[in-house]
Amino acid sequence: MTDQDRGSETASGLSHVAVGETARDHYTLAPLPWLAGCSDVGRRHETNQDALALGGRETTQGRLAVLVISDGVSTSLGSEESAAIAAEVASSTLIAMLRTMPDASAEQVQATLTDAFIAANDAVLASTGPGPTPGSCTLICAVLNEGRVSVGNVGDCRAYWIGDDASCHILSVDDSLAQARIDLGMSREDAERSFQAHAITRWLGPDSQDVTPRVAALDVPGPGWLLVCSDGLWNYRSAPEDMTSLVHRIVDECEHDAAESAAMLVAWANEQGGRDNITVALLRVG
């Protein structure tokens, strides 16, 4: 894989790029000028256990896109391979839907998101790796169609909507001890600093009890950015208003270039310490 991969155009016009088996330490995927992502090993890990897949096209009705990130569980042997499998299978499932049903309803997208997670989990469980069992991973998938963003999530990767008008929303809900404490009334700041805050409560792979994603949808209110990222980025800017400020600054410096902005966000996370693998996907809407 080269440092920047361009997806080939299919007969249906939907380009698709996914992480390959080599050059995982640092890579950029840029299938379209308005859709790109970057992944990096960070400064403290020996391997990159994150995986990224993207697909999209522009139509007369608007933009279609799929953004997928999987984060291997670091304590699970073989999670690097499992994350790559999950990202590829989930993205292929969602892209197949957009090829045949670009105007899919919210209910159809939600059903396909659930199918994508089940298929990804089945593929992970069927895989063979360096350990006696397959590795575990988290997964987040975002779909743009019909002016609507739909997000499915298992684990603690996140999706943020960042509007040009400074509106900001976290579209995903973490499956973590920190989120459980937030649900009980603890502040986000305190919960994310608490003991074992990043311990996940749901995942894909061995011993997973439930791989049905939490699904959320947003009718895009105006121009802005969809950011999907692993915790290697949001660790340093968790609150939506803080992430919004950071992303606006970066995309303005990069003159709204999606690929350069994603790479700059990864570089910024490394400057903060890079204590985890870092993966960032950006979609320009409007």
Side-chain angles (χ1 to χ4, degrees):
M1 177 184 294
T2 59
D3 181 60
Q4 180 162 301
D5 285 342
R6 299 276 175 180
S8 58
E9 196 76 4
T10 66
S12 64
L14 192 68
S15 57
H16 177 212
V17 291
V19 62
E21 296 300 322
T22 60
R24 287 276 292 270
D25 282 359
H26 181 89
Y27 60 92
T28 299
L29 304 181
L32 293 159
W34 43 269
L35 173 65
C38 183
S39 186
D40 188 85
V41 68
R43 293 188 171 179
R44 300 191 185 182
H45 285 247
E46 293 183 0
T47 60
N48 186 1
Q49 296 171 325
D50 287 359
L52 169 68
L54 303 170
R57 69 170 171 171
E58 191 132 25
T59 73
T60 55
Q61 287 75 36
R63 291 174 175 176
L64 303 174
V66 169
L67 301 81
V68 175
I69 292 176
S70 181
D71 183 354
V73 178
S74 59
T75 57
S76 172
L77 187 63
S79 62
E80 182 178 356
E81 292 81 3
S82 294
I85 291 168
E88 175 61 25
V89 170
S91 61
S92 296
T93 302
L94 294 167
I95 285 169
M97 175 197 68
L98 289 185
R99 284 175 178 157
T100 58
M101 296 188 299
D103 56 351
S105 67
E107 292 76 15
Q108 289 170 320
V109 173
Q110 179 172 344
T112 308
L113 278 167
T114 299
D115 291 344
F117 276 73
I118 293 171
N121 186 63
D122 289 346
V124 167
L125 291 175
S127 66
T128 58
T133 61
S136 301
C137 60
T138 67
L139 182 65
I140 188 167
C141 304
V143 177
L144 171 69
N145 77 318
E146 295 292 289
R148 180 182 60 248
V149 172
S150 303
V151 176
N153 183 55
V154 168
D156 60 353
C157 292
R158 288 188 184 175
Y160 292 80
W161 169 256
I162 299 169
D164 287 0
D165 60 357
S167 60
C168 51
H169 309 282
I170 301 180
L171 303 180
S172 55
V173 179
D174 295 346
D175 295 307
S176 68
L177 289 184
Q179 184 62 48
R181 290 163 183 155
I182 292 170
D183 293 342
L184 291 173
M186 186 178 289
S187 70
R188 177 175 297 280
E189 183 178 7
D190 289 342
E192 291 178 354
R193 292 179 178 176
S194 63
F195 178 66
Q196 290 189 328
H198 284 277
I200 57 173
T201 55
R202 294 202 306 149
W203 59 89
L204 272 59
D207 301 322
S208 177
Q209 302 301 309
D210 180 14
V211 299
T212 304
R214 301 177 190 248
V215 177
L218 173 72
D219 289 325
V220 176
W225 294 88
L226 176 66
L227 166 71
V228 181
C229 63
S230 63
D231 58 347
L233 176 67
W234 70 251
N235 272 333
Y236 302 109
R237 284 291 186 275
S238 175
E241 58 272 16
D242 294 336
M243 184 63 79
T244 295
S245 176
L246 172 66
V247 170
H248 277 165
R249 177 173 65 82
I250 294 293
V251 298
D252 286 346
E253 290 177 3
C254 297
E255 298 181 343
H256 284 214
D257 183 287
E260 186 177 351
S261 297
M264 285 289 289
L265 285 165
V266 166
W268 178 87
N270 271 321
E271 290 170 1
Q272 310 313 303
R275 64 176 181 264
D276 202 350
N277 303 148
I278 310 154
T279 303
V280 174
L282 280 173
L283 167 66
R284 177 65 183 171
V285 183

